[in-house]
Amino acid sequence: MTEKNYVTIKCRLVSNPHKAKMNDDRKKVGRTCTLAIEPGEETKLDALTANVYAATTWDPKLKHKFADHTKRTGDRDDMPTMGMRFINAFITDDKQFTCYTKRDGKTVTLSAEEAQNVIYAGCYVAAIVRPYAVTKNNPCMTAAVDGLLFWKHGERMSGAADPNEAFEDFEDAEEDELADALLD
């Protein structure tokens, strides 16, 4: 049996993984997925990270630069990760984070359009997290997020209004009314 190179952990999604934006650290446009790890779940990540670390050949000349990005804890009062372990994964703009939901007991991949309605900043997800080692220049342990499964709803973390809630009291507009409004 082959050993898994990933763990599935419960997290709260605290960023919008669908919107591409400039990542100042990497000087690239891409998508960021920031996950606040639920208490107790970090032990699964730590065990696999330790295995990856032990199996990696490290350059002794760069040892003083080593950082373990899988053990970061939020330290900014204005961030939802304050005091919590978190993962911050980045992918380039030409890629999407793969999102899933459960339907009839089966895991189903969401289309990009569906994912924007189901997976949002503030919801809780089960994340497929794959720790890996970077051995050149700035040696570190870091993690990739290979998939997000919707787990449960949470309070949205967005400055934007939820359009379903904002327009719930409005009836469907008639096409003629819309055409008249556009002509005025």
Side-chain angles (χ1 to χ4, degrees), residues 17 60-61 96-97 104 112 128-129 157 159-160 170 180:
K61 292 181 240 169
Q96 299 272 340
F97 286 101
D104 299 324
I128 302 169
V129 178
M157 295 179 177
F170 288 86
D180 290 342

Side-chain angles (χ1 to χ4, degrees), residues 2-47:
T2 306
E3 210 172 300
K4 290 192 298 186
N5 67 346
Y6 67 89
V7 290
T8 304
I9 57 176
K10 294 177 184 174
C11 307
R12 184 162 190 209
L13 181 61
V14 295
S15 67
N16 180 351
H18 310 296
K19 185 177 181 181
K21 59 184 177 185
M22 177 57 86
N23 181 312
D24 294 331
D25 294 340
R26 294 197 167 104
K27 307 286 187 251
K28 290 183 180 179
V29 174
R31 291 173 173 76
T32 301
C33 180
T34 305
L35 299 163
I37 301 171
E38 288 290 291
E41 293 289 297
E42 65 277 350
T43 57
K44 293 190 267 185
L45 177 60
D46 291 345

Side-chain angles (χ1 to χ4, degrees), residues 162-175:
D162 178 357
N164 292 316
E165 183 181 321
F167 298 127
E168 71 184 348
D169 293 335
F170 288 86
E171 306 234 353
D172 291 340
E174 295 292 326
E175 287 184 34

Side-chain angles (χ1 to χ4, degrees), residues 42-93:
E42 65 277 350
T43 57
K44 293 190 267 185
L45 177 60
D46 291 345
L48 184 54
T49 300
N51 290 343
V52 173
Y53 180 87
T56 302
T57 303
W58 299 96
D59 184 343
K61 292 181 240 169
L62 298 175
K63 188 174 184 172
H64 68 284
K65 290 184 167 186
F66 177 79
D68 188 346
H69 298 301
T70 67
K71 293 188 184 289
R72 292 188 286 182
T73 300
D75 60 0
R76 288 182 44 196
D77 289 338
D78 62 333
M79 298 298 287
T81 55
M82 175 65 180
M84 297 181 74
R85 288 267 304 270
F86 71 94
I87 297 165
N88 190 25
F90 176 82
I91 59 173
T92 56
D93 183 34

